[in-house]
């Protein structure tokens, strides 16, 4: 069954792709988000109690509903990468990458030799349980899966050009929340905005899609206008909370 990996989907898109975080460990939100018209979801294993087994199930349901699936892994250790890639996800976000060396190590674990260290798993879901030709399995893994690092502190953004030169890196994500924590500055501060501009400029020059996360649709449109290729808007839990709070407030009003 042929499908479009997230890296190629981004390359062929004529607009910014919009997604959201998946934090609730249930499959119903996946179908709801697909019906709502999101382009992709990001299964958040860093800040939500989502297991490998759930990520696998959610990936199957989401892709069947037409969504691309990214996973933000719990940390940058790499221990989760092989099994998630074997599950057939469309991309990976590796959080809290702080150096060029960390970015290189993460990417190598997601690339097949000779460019990397990913093991062969043709009998996994990614290989259609042995039904996908070996050459196509290898091509999809190296050419269509997005391998993105999450940059969220000043030090790494001051060497962003070198990070984006890492061989095999084909995505970058700017974590504005932790960037604010690490600098002690609000996102609107000119110093922060200068770092954002530097990242977007380097990403555009290197042909690397850049993404970020925002809270509202208006902020997502602003991010798209600024040059981001993919944007996450809110998350399933917050969207539910907002709708529930509004319903109760409207009733009492």
């Amino acid at each position: 069954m042929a499908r479009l990996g997230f890296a190629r989907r981004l390359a062929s898109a004529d607009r910014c792709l919009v997604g959201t975080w998946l934090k609730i460990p249930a499959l119903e939100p996946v179908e709801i988000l697909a019906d709502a018209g999101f382009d992709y979801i990001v299964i958040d294993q860093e800040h939500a109690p989502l297991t490998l087994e759930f990520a696998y199930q959610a990936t199957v349901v989401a892709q069947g509903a037409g969504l691309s699936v990214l996973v933000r892994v719990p940390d940058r250790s790499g221990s989760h990468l092989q099994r998630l890639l074997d599950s057939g996800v469309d991309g990976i976000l590796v959080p809290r990458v702080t150096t060029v060396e960390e970015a290189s190590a993460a990417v190598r674990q997601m690339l097949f030799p000779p460019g990397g260290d990913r093991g062969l798993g043709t009998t996994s879901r990614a290989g259609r349980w042995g039904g996908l030709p070996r050459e196509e399995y290898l091509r999809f893994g190296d050419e269509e899966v997005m391998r993105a690092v999450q940059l969220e502190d000043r030090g790494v953004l001051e060497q962003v050009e070198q990070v984006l030169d890492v061989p095999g890196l084909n995505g970058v994500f700017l974590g504005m929340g932790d960037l604010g924590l690490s600098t002690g500055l609000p996102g609107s501060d000119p110093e922060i905005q200068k770092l954002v501009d530097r990242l977007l400029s380097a990403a555009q020059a290197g042909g690397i899609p850049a993404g970020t996360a925002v809270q509202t649709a208006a902020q997502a449109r602003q991010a798209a206008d600024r040059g981001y290729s993919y944007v996450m808007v809110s998350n399933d839990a917050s969207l539910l909370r907002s709708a529930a709070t509004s319903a109760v407030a409207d009733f009492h009003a």
Side-chain angles (χ1 to χ4, degrees):
M1 180 177 65
R3 61 185 177 85
L4 195 65
F6 198 67
R8 187 155 62 97
R9 187 175 182 185
L10 281 173
S12 61
D14 58 1
R15 60 175 176 83
C16 178
L17 300 185
V18 60
T20 191
W21 303 99
L22 185 72
K23 294 177 177 287
I24 300 173
L27 298 177
E28 287 81 4
V30 177
E31 292 188 306
I32 292 170
L33 295 172
D35 287 347
F38 282 101
D39 296 306
Y40 65 97
I41 58 171
V42 186
I43 298 171
D44 189 4
Q45 292 191 310
E46 184 188 21
H47 290 297
L50 305 183
T51 65
L52 172 66
E53 290 79 9
F54 174 77
Y56 188 103
Q57 294 167 358
T59 296
V60 174
V61 171
Q63 290 176 343
L67 292 167
S68 294
V69 178
L70 310 181
V71 178
R72 177 162 68 176
V73 293
D75 53 56
R76 59 176 182 256
S77 69
S79 61
H80 300 75
L81 296 176
Q82 178 73 67
R83 290 177 293 173
L84 287 167
L85 292 169
D86 283 346
S87 297
V89 300
D90 299 296
I92 298 284
L93 300 183
V94 179
R96 306 194 66 80
V97 170
T98 60
T99 66
V100 175
E101 292 74 21
E102 290 172 357
S104 179
V107 171
R108 284 192 60 84
Q109 292 182 77
M110 294 185 276
L111 281 170
F112 293 113
D117 305 315
R118 179 181 171 185
L120 195 71
T122 54
T123 57
S124 65
R125 180 173 183 267
R128 305 309 297 170
W129 300 280
L132 197 66
R134 184 174 184 270
E135 295 74 16
E136 175 60 16
Y137 164 79
L138 294 173
R139 184 203 65 78
F140 188 91
D142 277 354
E143 296 180 12
E144 298 210 28
V145 171
M146 188 177 77
R147 299 170 292 274
V149 293
Q150 188 166 312
L151 309 182
E152 40 202 332
D153 70 57
R154 188 202 321 249
V156 74
L157 287 171
E158 289 175 345
Q159 51 181 332
V160 67
E161 294 84 3
Q162 290 81 6
V163 172
L164 297 186
D165 278 341
V166 166
L169 181 73
N170 59 3
V172 65
F173 175 82
L174 178 61
M176 286 293 291
D178 281 327
L179 178 60
L181 284 178
S182 70
T183 60
L185 300 172
S188 59
D189 188 275
E191 185 175 342
I192 295 292
Q193 291 304 308
K194 185 177 179 180
L195 291 172
V196 174
D197 287 340
R198 181 172 175 177
L199 179 143
L200 289 171
S201 177
Q204 183 178 22
I208 305 292
T212 193
V214 298
Q215 293 300 312
T216 68
Q219 291 170 344
R221 287 191 294 269
Q222 293 171 358
D225 291 341
R226 194 167 183 178
Y228 286 99
S229 299
Y230 61 105
V231 178
M232 280 82 93
V233 182
S234 192
N235 62 79
D236 57 348
S238 293
L239 290 170
L240 173 60
R241 177 185 173 86
S242 177
T245 302
S246 294
V248 173
D250 290 346
F251 172 78
H252 288 299

